[in-house]
């Protein structure tokens, strides 16, 4: 591997994580499911949030843009340096269509929510014989 390729891979990996207000770091803010067959049912993913502050962090609420997307999250305070999870499920029962669903994550000590996305392309596969 060339040095330039190694630097590029390092930059891509580092850019995937996002810091917010010196309070929280998310492993990513976008999850792309790619192509999902409606016959396969609901699909799920998770986002990891790390407390990068000196105070306990709380996830107060996670709101979604439609009823086709639901979430659960760490309800306990997240200690400095510790991680919490936001689990997201997309019902995948209204396709076929491309989708990009937004989730607003409300954290302690932050005035604005962190915006997460789950996206992909839902399609109707051929019926199994």
């Amino acid at each position: 591997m060339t040095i330039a390729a190694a630097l590029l891979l390092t930059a891509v990996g580092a850019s995937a994580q996002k810091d917010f207000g010196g309070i929280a770091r998310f492993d990513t803010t976008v999850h792309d499911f790619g192509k999902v067959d409606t016959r396969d049912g609901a699909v799920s993913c998770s986002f990891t949030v790390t407390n990068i502050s000196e105070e306990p962090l709380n996830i107060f609420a996670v709101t979604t843009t439609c009823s086709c997307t639901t979430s659960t999250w760490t309800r306990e305070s997240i200690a400095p340096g510790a991680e919490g999870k936001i689990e997201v499920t997309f019902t995948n029962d209204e396709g076929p269509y491309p989708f990009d669903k937004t989730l607003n994550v409300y954290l302690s000590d932050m005035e604005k929510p962190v915006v997460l996305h789950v996206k992909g392309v839902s399609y109707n596969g051929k019926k199994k014989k």
Side-chain angles (χ1 to χ4, degrees), residues 3-18:
I3 293 174
L7 289 173
L8 179 62
L9 288 174
T10 302
V12 169
S15 68
Q17 291 186 347
K18 305 270 185 176

Side-chain angles (χ1 to χ4, degrees), residues 8 21-22 38 49 51 68-69 72 97 107 123:
L8 179 62
T38 57
V49 57
N51 181 353
C68 63
T69 309
T72 59
Y97 60 88
L107 301 170
Y123 69 96

Side-chain angles (χ1 to χ4, degrees), residues 24 28 31 33 78 83 89 97 103 107-108:
T28 187
H31 180 86
F33 287 108
I78 303 166
E83 296 179 343
T89 300
Y97 60 88
L103 297 99
L107 301 170
S108 54

Side-chain angles (χ1 to χ4, degrees), residues 2-60:
T2 67
I3 293 174
L7 289 173
L8 179 62
L9 288 174
T10 302
V12 169
S15 68
Q17 291 186 347
K18 305 270 185 176
D19 288 4
F20 294 91
I23 295 171
R25 176 176 298 132
F26 282 77
D27 59 339
T28 187
T29 56
V30 177
H31 180 86
D32 188 345
F33 287 108
K35 290 180 71 173
V36 291
D37 189 333
T38 57
R39 296 175 303 163
D40 294 336
V43 291
S44 298
C45 67
S46 65
F47 295 89
T48 300
V49 57
T50 303
N51 181 353
I52 59 173
S53 75
E54 300 295 321
E55 300 295 325
L57 175 68
N58 289 294
I59 303 171
F60 290 128

